[in-house]
Amino acid sequence: MSVSFSNFPAPFPATGKNIHTVTSDRFVLYGGSATICQSFCGLKLWLLDRLNLKHCSKKHGLSESKIIKNQDKLDSHLKTSSSNDGRDSEGVSTLSVPNVTKRPTSKLQAHSPNFPVQSDQAPSLCIAVIGATGELARRKIFPALFALYYSGFLPENVGIVGYSRKNLTDEDLRSIIASTLTCRIDHRENCGDKIDAFLSRTCYLNGGYDNREGMLKLSALMEHIEIIDFLAAYLPQGGFEANRIFYLSVPQEALLDVASTLAICAQTQKGWNRIIIEKPFGFDALSSHWLTKALLSKFQEKQLYRIDHLLGRNLIENLTVLRFSNLIFEPLWSRTYIRSIQVILSEEMGVQSGRYFDGYGIIRDIVHSHILQTIALLAMEPPISLNGEDIRNEKVKVLRLIRRLEPSNVILGQYKATFDDKVDVKLNSLTPTYFAAVLYIDNARWDGVPFLIKAGMGLIKHRVEIRIQFRHVPGNIYHDRFGHNINLATNELILRDVPDEAILVRVNNKVPGLGLQLDASELNLLYKDKYNAEVPDSYEHLLLDVIDGDNHLFMRSDELTAAWNILNPVLQEIDKNNIAPELYELGGRGPVGAYYLWAKHGVQWTED
């Protein structure tokens, strides 16, 4: 028996146990007419896709001929075979569909991937990197995806599409990213084979300068990959699940246009769609509001993943573990026992070219997301579960309770640099590269406890850490044994990320020997000594969270609003030229005014 569907451009799903083999141009099915009829259920899926495509074309005013040109899904389809009355030499019924190369060719056909077939019944996953030729994609996103693939956290049938406006081929993209791919230091088995396998699952699409046309081509290419994987698996339940992730590594000015056309023309109807958006998330409260409103008109909140790579560090993930799984910490976690909390992020190297002098500065780039999110995780109440929404609910409560920053509690700085320093010297006179501030949370747990922030570039050392300083022991009978500086007797919990990730607890103890001499010592858990494992890059951690649907380290829309409300008074003063950054030497300790600010609130930076 031979059946031909000469007008259908895509193969149809069939029941797996009826498949004998898949040759280069033929489906081979066991059974008679009744069995073959069951295999045509996929026609409904094709019709639905076709109707969705026409709906998209009407919205954008695209002609049918252009849609057909952009919707060529497969390089070659199965052709009609009329020999032997539709039966092969083994008497097995065959179903064939003509090759669509008879239709007008398109750029998509030229770049259609030839993925290796994987017999895997897991849901299909396609990841599109929009802006694939940019520095971020080359240095961070693709290496992180490969690390997940190498470690087994991506399905074998994953499809990765690089999308940009450059005229490249699949091999061009593969050669660009191949040099950035490395295997785990502690686990290098089959490294070369894994790299080759990953690159074989990666393809490139030139989207051109028309986002509407480009997104149609992207959707068609992703459906091509999904159909190939489906044909390999032949899921027996009918239909198949196809999930998509879109990483928007694009400039802020292009974000809305790309996101809007993606929402209409590139989302799958056979599974979930998740959209990753890079910071900054707006320029101020007003611009962030309109950006959020526009995004939520196209996507659901649960689809949006606003990524900040600094929140993917192991230090951040460990905050809730230390707090809520250790009895020795949680009972002390309040104003009753904690005197102050310091959050420090300092970099010794100059900032990358173009990162700050475009007007965003350190407040919008680092403080708004990373610093305030860290404080929220430190100060929030215990969530009812580890579900991402439950954790976000507690974070936003804390952010809403933080007092709006007053300019009197803020110190801004800007490093002084020359052309010999090999850093940005074209900074706007009001663009801060250093931010220090004191925050207060108006609730019962933290009333009166200062949260001190220091974030700066071009400083004397690279340091990322959190220091929880406890109160003095009331009526300490050993106070005269510590000398004049009672602060030396203060207990501290230090969570360090850079340099050398560690957890340290500063305690007072007796120095061995005759007499009574006290010393402040550190109990040290140094990760590199304790754990013989390479720490994954933060992008790996966050991308895996997106795949798993874990959104607790990604800012929700109400968290964005609450964070901007805290910073808005200071940003308005900067915009009115009422606050000028204090200059500091590149490679120094930062503005002198910061030390007076700490003294004003009765706190000394203990690192000094």
Side-chain angles (χ1 to χ4, degrees):
M1 172 181 178
S2 177
V3 184
S4 172
F5 287 84
S6 59
N7 294 323
F8 295 155
F12 312 124
T15 304
K17 56 190 177 184
N18 294 327
I19 300 300
H20 176 63
T21 184
V22 178
T23 61
S24 60
D25 65 346
R26 304 169 73 192
F27 287 108
V28 184
L29 310 177
Y30 286 114
S33 302
T35 304
I36 294 178
C37 287
Q38 294 176 0
S39 70
F40 294 162
C41 63
L43 175 60
K44 178 180 177 182
L45 292 176
W46 178 84
L47 289 173
L48 290 175
D49 286 346
R50 189 65 177 170
L51 290 173
N52 181 62
L53 179 62
K54 289 184 177 180
H55 172 71
C56 183
S57 66
K58 288 178 181 178
K59 285 196 173 187
H60 290 302
L62 297 178
S63 65
E64 179 68 15
S65 61
K66 183 177 288 187
I67 294 300
I68 292 175
K69 192 172 182 180
N70 290 333
Q71 192 64 13
D72 293 340
K73 294 180 178 63
L74 300 174
D75 290 331
S76 60
H77 284 220
L78 308 177
K79 297 181 178 180
T80 303
S81 175
S82 57
S83 61
N84 297 325
D85 192 27
R87 293 187 176 270
D88 62 12
S89 58
E90 297 178 354
V92 179
S93 299
T94 61
L95 168 67
S96 301
V97 181
N99 194 312
V100 297
T101 54
K102 296 177 182 178
R103 292 161 53 187
T105 59
S106 69
K107 291 183 180 179
L108 175 60
Q109 289 177 321
H111 291 108
S112 294
N114 185 20
F115 285 168
V117 172
Q118 301 290 345
S119 182
D120 188 355
Q121 294 191 6
S124 172
L125 175 64
C126 273
I127 303 173
V129 181
I130 316 296
T133 56
E135 191 72 6
L136 176 64
R138 187 182 66 84
R139 294 179 59 235
K140 291 294 184 179
I141 301 174
F142 284 113
L145 289 172
F146 170 69
L148 293 175
Y149 183 82
Y150 178 76
S151 301
F153 290 106
L154 288 182
E156 286 294 327
N157 65 346
V158 67
I160 298 172
V161 181
Y163 177 104
S164 80
R165 294 174 173 176
K166 293 186 177 179
N167 189 21
L168 302 177
T169 65
D170 294 346
E171 289 305 319
D172 291 335
L173 178 65
R174 291 165 185 165
S175 66
I176 289 173
I177 66 177
S179 61
T180 67
L181 306 183
T182 57
C183 298
R184 294 277 185 228
I185 294 176
D186 55 345
H187 188 68
R188 288 185 176 273
E189 290 85 351
N190 304 318
C191 181
D193 293 341
K194 279 290 188 180
I195 290 178
D196 291 340
F198 176 79
L199 293 175
S200 73
R201 305 295 304 176
T202 305
C203 63
Y204 179 77
L205 177 63
N206 178 4
Y209 287 86
D210 186 334
N211 281 332
R212 295 171 295 183
E213 219 177 307
M215 287 301 163
L216 286 169
K217 291 192 291 184
L218 176 62
S219 182
L221 179 56
M222 296 176 87
E223 189 167 347
H224 174 128
I225 298 168
E226 293 157 359
I227 289 175
I228 289 176
D229 291 326
F230 170 70
L231 292 177
Y234 288 100
L235 300 184
Q237 301 303 320
F240 63 100
E241 183 179 353
N243 302 318
R244 295 180 182 179
I245 293 174
F246 301 89
Y247 198 125
L248 305 189
S249 179
V250 298
Q252 286 293 301
E253 57 270 20
L255 176 61
L256 276 184
D257 190 25
V258 172
S260 297
T261 51
L262 181 159
I264 298 171
C265 293
Q267 296 193 88
T268 180
Q269 303 300 317
K270 304 180 183 70
W272 48 252
N273 300 273
R274 292 170 184 161
I275 319 300
I276 303 175
I277 301 171
E278 273 284 348
K279 63 178 183 179
F281 313 115
F283 189 78
D284 52 22
L286 183 60
S287 63
S288 178
H289 168 75
W290 288 113
L291 175 62
T292 298
K293 185 176 181 180
L295 289 172
L296 291 180
S297 70
K298 303 295 182 182
F299 304 101
Q300 299 177 35
E301 180 70 57
K302 65 181 182 180
Q303 292 182 263
L304 299 176
Y305 288 76
R306 299 174 179 90
I307 191 170
D308 180 347
H309 71 281
L310 293 172
L311 293 175
R313 304 291 297 180
N314 189 63
L315 166 67
I316 302 300
E317 185 71 8
N318 209 19
L319 290 179
T320 53
V321 176
L322 285 174
R323 280 194 59 188
F324 303 127
S325 68
N326 292 288
L327 184 61
I328 61 172
F329 293 132
E330 181 57 21
L332 306 179
W333 216 261
S334 71
R335 67 186 186 90
T336 306
Y337 297 102
I338 293 180
R339 182 186 176 193
S340 67
I341 293 179
Q342 304 170 27
V343 180
I344 304 166
L345 190 155
S346 63
E347 292 189 10
E348 59 185 350
M349 304 297 293
V351 297
Q352 296 177 1
S353 177
R355 186 179 179 188
Y356 285 95
F357 67 80
D358 60 0
Y360 282 96
I362 198 168
I363 300 177
R364 295 174 170 97
D365 188 51
I366 292 179
V367 177
H368 172 261
S369 53
H370 171 66
I371 297 294
L372 291 182
Q373 283 289 296
T374 300
I375 291 175
L377 289 167
L378 276 168
M380 71 180 185
E381 296 299 314
I384 62 175
S385 76
L386 292 178
N387 178 273
E389 291 304 319
D390 292 334
I391 295 176
R392 291 163 117 185
N393 290 339
E394 298 303 328
K395 287 194 297 176
V396 76
K397 290 177 185 177
V398 172
L399 291 171
R400 288 171 175 166
L401 290 169
I402 296 177
R403 292 181 201 169
R404 289 161 64 90
L405 260 180
E406 296 298 328
S408 59
N409 281 335
V410 173
I411 297 294
L412 301 179
Q414 186 183 90
Y415 58 67
K416 294 188 296 184
T418 65
F419 287 98
D420 294 333
D421 292 319
K422 297 181 180 180
V423 296
D424 290 330
V425 294
K426 298 180 180 179
L427 290 168
N428 182 284
S429 60
L430 296 179
T431 302
T433 60
Y434 181 100
F435 177 88
V438 181
L439 296 173
Y440 287 93
I441 302 175
D442 292 326
N443 65 5
R445 183 185 288 266
W446 299 110
D447 186 31
V449 177
F451 286 74
L452 298 106
I453 300 167
K454 182 173 80 170
M457 303 294 167
L459 300 175
I460 191 172
K461 62 179 72 172
H462 188 192
R463 182 184 296 270
V464 180
E465 66 182 22
I466 300 165
R467 305 179 79 101
I468 295 97
Q469 190 176 70
F470 294 90
R471 296 190 182 277
H472 301 305
V473 177
N476 192 341
I477 59 176
Y478 291 101
H479 69 277
D480 58 339
R481 303 289 179 172
F482 291 102
H484 298 290
N485 190 355
I486 190 63
N487 287 323
L488 295 178
T490 300
N491 300 129
E492 272 192 300
L493 171 63
I494 304 168
L495 311 177
R496 179 174 296 159
D497 187 24
V498 179
D500 298 330
E501 187 171 0
I503 300 174
L504 305 98
V505 180
R506 179 174 289 175
V507 298
N508 301 313
N509 68 289
K510 176 184 176 297
V511 176
L514 301 176
L516 184 60
Q517 181 181 355
L518 301 188
D519 180 45
S521 304
E522 292 180 347
L523 306 180
N524 187 342
L525 169 60
L526 194 61
Y527 276 58
K528 67 180 183 181
D529 292 341
K530 174 66 175 178
Y531 304 106
N532 184 27
E534 184 179 357
V535 178
D537 182 78
S538 57
Y539 278 94
E540 297 175 40
H541 186 174
L542 294 174
L543 284 170
L544 182 58
D545 282 350
V546 174
I547 295 169
D548 292 340
D550 183 355
N551 55 15
H552 80 282
L553 293 177
F554 301 84
M555 295 182 74
R556 202 167 60 190
S557 296
D558 52 355
E559 293 180 77
L560 279 181
T561 301
W564 283 119
N565 287 339
I566 297 167
L567 300 172
N568 224 34
V570 174
L571 294 174
Q572 289 176 347
E573 292 300 307
I574 294 175
D575 293 340
K576 294 176 183 176
N577 298 335
N578 291 336
I579 302 179
E582 179 183 338
L583 296 178
Y584 62 93
E585 294 292 336
L586 188 66
R589 292 182 178 274
V592 176
Y595 293 89
Y596 292 103
L597 181 61
W598 315 147
K600 171 184 171 183
H601 292 272
V603 178
Q604 177 184 358
W605 283 110
T606 50
E607 68 179 87
D608 298 328

